[in-house]
Amino acid sequence: MNLTRLLKKTLCILLTMIMVLPVIHLKAENNHQYDAWYYISYGADDMGKGTWRFVTKGRVNMENRPTASRRIYTDDLEHRIQTLDDALLVPITYQGITYDVASENSQSANTYTIEWKRIIDENGANNAGKDNVPAGVPAYHVDGQVTFHYQYDVEYYISGVKNDS
């Protein structure tokens, strides 16, 4: 193999690498912020079977605009979902007990936490009549599952104990 041919091959490989690497790099930085409607589910272990409640309108970091494809995203949620201010999370009354949002460091009795489970590219959004997205218009939904932290007070009696004194 002569030197000219080797240089042409090397140059061709280098140019290919130079052209491919920026595309890969740009793809990683190609996320944009889009409006999203945040919902929580509680009262059932399975998402979708419990009571749903609108929490707030926020933002998500996604590669593309929503398309109403009903595609579900569960990967990289910690980078896709914005952190919500706890002040937006109101008390929930469930089975006669009122639960407040748990503080970051404590999950005391009668509190709840939310685990954000998925983002859905959905068809429309409803937040109790304000700032709705009509059916047929694409919108991102962020769905979370509530875990209640509770305490039971149990009253018990010991019977059958003999007093030897």
Side-chain angles (χ1 to χ4, degrees):
M1 186 185 278
N2 65 24
L3 185 59
T4 306
R5 198 173 193 176
L6 180 64
L7 285 175
K8 280 184 181 179
K9 241 183 189 181
T10 306
L11 184 59
C12 183
I13 291 170
L14 286 174
L15 285 175
T16 303
M17 288 175 61
I18 289 170
M19 292 173 69
V20 169
L21 288 177
V23 172
I24 294 168
H25 183 67
L26 285 174
K27 183 170 174 37
E29 292 182 356
N30 202 18
N31 285 350
H32 303 282
Q33 286 199 346
Y34 297 102
D35 287 340
W37 282 256
Y38 284 66
Y39 299 91
I40 55 175
S41 174
Y42 56 92
D45 292 336
D46 188 17
M47 291 287 292
K49 305 240 184 210
T51 301
W52 283 94
R53 179 184 215 168
F54 171 75
V55 178
T56 190
K57 181 179 170 186
R59 308 282 281 168
V60 290
N61 298 312
M62 301 297 288
E63 294 85 8
N64 300 306
R65 294 183 182 284
T67 61
S69 66
R70 300 196 66 112
R71 181 174 175 193
I72 296 173
Y73 300 86
T74 57
D75 61 312
D76 202 26
L77 291 179
E78 63 274 5
H79 295 109
R80 293 182 187 271
I81 297 174
Q82 77 175 26
T83 303
L84 293 181
D85 183 358
D86 283 349
L88 297 171
L89 302 173
V90 297
I92 296 173
T93 300
Y94 178 67
Q95 295 183 343
I97 301 172
T98 300
Y99 297 87
D100 290 312
V101 65
S103 69
E104 194 171 316
N105 300 324
S106 171
Q107 297 174 1
S108 59
N110 298 340
T111 61
Y112 70 92
T113 52
I114 301 171
E115 180 183 358
W116 299 109
K117 296 279 196 173
R118 63 189 182 194
I119 299 171
I120 301 179
D121 187 344
E122 193 53 91
N123 180 1
N126 182 349
N127 69 351
K130 299 180 288 185
D131 200 19
N132 290 341
V133 176
V137 177
Y140 282 119
H141 290 203
V142 179
D143 293 341
Q145 180 70 45
V146 169
T147 299
F148 292 110
H149 307 283
Y150 45 87
Q151 166 184 322
Y152 289 111
D153 292 329
V154 179
E155 195 172 302
Y156 61 93
Y157 299 93
I158 300 174
S159 64
V161 177
K162 294 186 180 189
N163 188 352
D164 291 342
S165 54

